[in-house]
Amino acid sequence: MIRTLLAPLLALAALAASAPAAAQPLVRLDVVDRDSGQWLPEYRHRRDAWIAGVPGHRYAVRLTNTSAERVLVVLSVDGVNAVTGQTAHPAQTGYVLAPYQSTEINGWRKSYEDVAQFVFTSLGDSYAARTGRPDNVGTIGVAVFRERSYPRPYPMPSPPIARERDGYEKSARGAAPAAEASRAGDAYHDGLAQQQRIGTGHGQREWSPVGQTAFVRASSQPAQVTQLRYDAPDALAARGILPRTSPY
């Protein structure tokens, strides 16, 4: 049985009635600048999605479960598991989101009670670079797993019920327990392009309590892998991703 961290419930988000279910990812990934209060817009460039991070600003990764089932989200920042601090791999622990749950992950988890804030910082001061893992600096990624479900056994015919003298009938009900198992997956991170300017460092510690829950993966492979890339505004402008007159 795999023990995973249960993210605190912040809000319930309903699916838009007009949006086709197939077009929705299981989990939507967004980034919020905590200092400006703005959601960071995504810019498509070739096959990647980019956001502009302002050095020194704190940020949060917002995860939204768009489905009616529980999911496990293995979150990595700069190629490092945001829960354990290990080099990220889908087989590792992550956050479990309830159906339609939305939550913001504000930092690197240091314990069940607190995190070190995510902060856009210089490349050399990033957590990944300082721990000798700079290859994936500039990426925020999720690997999402569905939960294993167990079919209900087909009900056997019930025996006939004897009618009592007073005209009342008696009935009984029963339920069968389900077994649980777990499986692991493969690595999912790609390397970064050259000339990365910023990464994510450790900010101040803040209170962010979580608990534990059991989760059995439906498959050893993630049902969804999403990667978002980021860099400083001037670096994105130099790549032609942002106009040089961009206010970001």
Side-chain angles (χ1 to χ4, degrees):
M1 181 182 297
I2 294 179
R3 292 287 177 181
T4 54
L5 295 175
L6 179 63
L9 178 62
L10 298 184
L12 294 177
L15 285 172
S18 59
Q24 288 264 35
L26 273 177
V27 171
R28 193 168 65 245
L29 172 64
D30 298 290
V31 176
V32 181
D33 185 315
R34 299 179 66 193
D35 288 318
S36 69
Q38 296 180 335
W39 293 58
L40 298 183
E42 295 183 14
Y43 301 92
R44 291 284 171 178
H45 183 67
R46 297 177 180 172
R47 293 184 299 175
D48 295 320
W50 292 82
I51 59 171
V54 178
H57 280 212
R58 301 169 304 154
Y59 73 88
V61 178
R62 188 173 183 85
L63 305 173
T64 302
N65 181 3
T66 66
S67 73
E69 58 185 303
R70 291 205 315 170
V71 294
L72 168 65
V73 184
V74 181
L75 170 65
S76 70
V77 176
D78 293 351
V80 179
N81 187 306
V83 173
T84 67
Q86 298 172 302
T87 300
H89 189 284
Q92 295 165 350
T93 191
Y95 289 98
V96 175
L97 300 182
Y100 305 115
Q101 181 181 351
S102 182
T103 189
E104 289 185 6
I105 309 302
N106 294 331
W108 309 97
R109 184 145 297 282
K110 310 308 291 184
S111 72
Y112 289 114
E113 285 77 36
D114 66 346
V115 297
Q117 298 169 349
F118 291 141
V119 180
F120 292 121
T121 188
S122 64
L123 176 61
D125 196 42
S126 66
Y127 177 38
R130 291 176 65 183
T131 54
R133 298 171 289 179
D135 292 345
N136 289 293
V137 172
T139 63
I140 300 171
V142 294
V144 183
F145 293 85
R146 296 181 186 273
E147 188 170 22
R148 178 175 294 180
S149 61
Y150 297 89
R152 293 178 178 272
Y154 188 79
M156 297 295 291
S158 300
I161 299 173
R163 185 175 295 277
E164 298 295 325
R165 290 182 180 179
D166 57 7
Y168 288 98
E169 297 179 349
K170 298 179 180 179
S171 62
R173 297 179 181 177
E180 294 184 349
S182 64
R183 306 176 69 181
D186 298 324
Y188 62 94
H189 278 287
D190 296 328
L192 273 179
Q194 299 178 0
Q195 301 179 344
Q196 180 70 30
R197 301 281 181 85
I198 63 173
T200 299
H202 277 77
Q204 295 182 354
R205 300 278 280 264
E206 70 175 64
W207 189 65
S208 179
V210 293
Q212 287 186 312
T213 187
F215 188 96
V216 182
R217 304 173 196 228
S219 170
S220 61
Q221 299 296 326
Q224 173 191 337
V225 174
T226 299
Q227 180 174 273
L228 187 63
R229 299 181 64 176
Y230 69 88
D231 209 339
D234 58 342
L236 297 188
R239 289 187 179 100
I241 300 171
L242 278 181
R244 293 186 181 276
T245 57
S246 171
Y248 298 99

